[in-house]
Amino acid sequence: MKDFLQKLALCVENGKINKSSPYPPNMRDQDGADELAKRALEEGVKPDEILENALIPAMAKVGNKFSRKEIYVPQMLMAAKAMSSAMVHLKPFFQSGETKRKGKFIIGTVSGDLHDIGKNLVAMMIEGGGWEVIDLGVDVGAEKFLKALDENPNAIIGLSALLTTTMENMKNIVTVIKEKYSSSKILVGGAPVTTEYCKKIGADFYSPDPQGAVNYLKQLAS
Ligand code: B1M
C-alpha cells in the first residue's frame, strides 16, 4: 500500500494529472493522480491517509522546490492541478464531515486588484496542506471578508495584493476585520507586500510564497 501512495505522491510532485495528460513527457501513458486517488479509495485507503501520506508531503516538496527556485510557476500549477484531480475524489468525504480538515482558510485579492495567479497558487497549496479553502476571488472588499468570517468565525484570513496603487486597501480590510474579530489571524502576501508593511497595517504574518503560508497555518494549528 505504501508503494501505491508513493506513486500518487510522485504524480502530484511531477504534475501528472491523469493517464491522458501528456505532461510530464517521461510519465506519458501512466496512471495519474486522478486514477491513483480513485483506486486508493476503492481499495479501502482512508481519505485522510491519502491526504496525509501522499498529497500533503508531495505539495510540501513542490512548495519547497518553488521557494528554492528549483521549479517555476508552470510546474507548480501542474502540481496543483494534479493535486486537485485527486482532491475531487476525496472532497465528498471531507464535505460529509466523515473526514476532518485542519481548519478553514478564507482568501481573496484585495479590492481594486484583479490579479489572481499568485492568490490561486497560495489557495491550492493550502488546500493541499489539508485545509478547507474559501476562495472569495478578486476585488474583495472588507464587507465580503467580514461576511465570510461571520459564516466561519474561526477561519484564518489571507489577503493578496499585486498593485502598489490598491495595496493600501489591505490596511482598511485588516482594520475592519480586527475591529470585529480582534483575535483573528490575518496572513498577507503579494509582490509589493513586505514584513514591514504587514506590521504597519496590523496584519499578523507576511509570507513571500505559498509554502511560507502553508507553514504559518501549520504553526497556528499545532
Ligand atoms: Co498586471 N501588473 N496589471 N496584469 N501584472 C503587474 C503586477 C505589474 C508589476 C506589471 C508592471 O508594470 N511591471 C504592474 C503593477 C505595478 C505596480 O503596482 N507598481 C501591473 C499593472 C500596472 C497592471 C494594470 C494596472 C495594467 C493596466 O491595465 N494598465 C492592470 C490592473 C488590473 C487590476 O488589477 N485592476 C493589470 C492587469 C493584469 C492582467 C489582467 C493582464 C494580468 C493578471 C491576470 C490574472 O492574475 N488572472 C496581469 C499580470 C499577469 C501581471 C504580471 C505580468 C504577472 C503577475 C503574476 O501573476 N505573477 C505582473 C508583472 C510581474 O510580476 N512580472 C503584473 C506570478 C504570480 C505567481 O506571482 O502574484 O506575485 P505573485 O504571487 C506570488 C507571491 O507574491 C506570493 O505567492 C505567489 C507565488 O510565489 N503571494 C502570496 C501572492 N499572494 C499571496 C498571498 C499570501 C502569501 C503569498 O498570503 C495570503
Side-chain angles (χ1 to χ4, degrees):
M1 194 57 71
K2 208 166 164 248
D3 276 3
F4 201 87
L5 291 182
Q6 268 172 1
K7 259 190 183 168
L8 174 57
L10 212 62
C11 284
V12 172
E13 196 182 334
N14 291 291
K16 176 71 176 169
I17 300 170
N18 53 30
K19 195 166 185 173
S20 60
S21 166
Y23 181 86
N26 65 339
M27 293 178 91
R28 197 182 276 264
D29 297 328
Q30 292 177 24
D31 279 344
D34 178 12
E35 291 85 4
L36 289 171
K38 189 165 175 270
R39 201 166 338 130
L41 288 169
E42 282 165 2
E43 292 193 10
V45 187
K46 290 202 172 99
D48 50 345
E49 241 181 276
I50 299 176
L51 193 65
E52 293 289 338
N53 299 331
L55 304 184
I56 292 177
M59 287 308 275
K61 271 191 181 176
V62 171
N64 288 326
K65 280 193 208 167
F66 184 79
S67 298
R68 294 195 298 264
K69 297 191 169 48
E70 290 168 15
I71 60 167
Y72 298 95
V73 170
Q75 288 105 312
M76 200 179 184
L77 278 174
M78 291 309 286
K81 278 191 179 163
M83 196 267 302
S84 300
S85 72
M87 283 303 289
V88 167
H89 302 291
L90 306 192
K91 258 184 189 157
F93 295 91
F94 293 112
Q95 278 161 354
S96 70
E98 197 180 312
T99 307
K100 284 236 171 308
R101 301 249 194 138
K102 290 181 179 161
K104 291 185 183 181
F105 179 65
I106 299 169
I107 189 167
T109 303
V110 301
S111 32
D113 194 336
L114 303 177
H115 295 85
D116 68 356
I117 298 168
K119 185 263 298 165
N120 292 346
L121 278 176
V122 173
M124 288 190 277
M125 288 296 295
I126 286 178
E127 186 174 32
W131 295 74
E132 180 181 343
V133 174
I134 299 159
D135 188 345
L136 301 180
V138 295
D139 191 17
V140 185
E143 291 217 338
K144 206 167 170 186
F145 277 107
L146 266 192
K147 187 170 176 281
L149 254 181
D150 289 342
E151 287 160 9
N152 306 280
N154 297 319
I156 296 160
I157 307 284
L159 309 178
S160 178
L162 260 287
L163 296 172
T164 47
T165 45
T166 54
M167 70 189 275
E168 279 304 306
N169 295 336
M170 230 178 208
K171 183 172 186 271
N172 174 46
I173 295 169
V174 170
T175 308
V176 170
I177 290 174
K178 291 282 185 183
E179 260 169 27
K180 187 163 180 190
Y181 293 96
S182 57
S183 61
S184 62
K185 294 290 176 204
I186 307 179
L187 162 73
V188 293
V193 183
T194 60
T195 302
E196 291 67 41
Y197 185 70
C198 165
K199 282 186 189 150
K200 190 179 137 195
I201 64 173
D204 297 284
F205 191 75
Y206 158 73
S207 170
D209 56 34
Q211 193 55 39
V214 173
N215 294 344
Y216 175 62
L217 263 65
K218 204 167 161 185
Q219 180 200 313
L220 286 179
S222 61

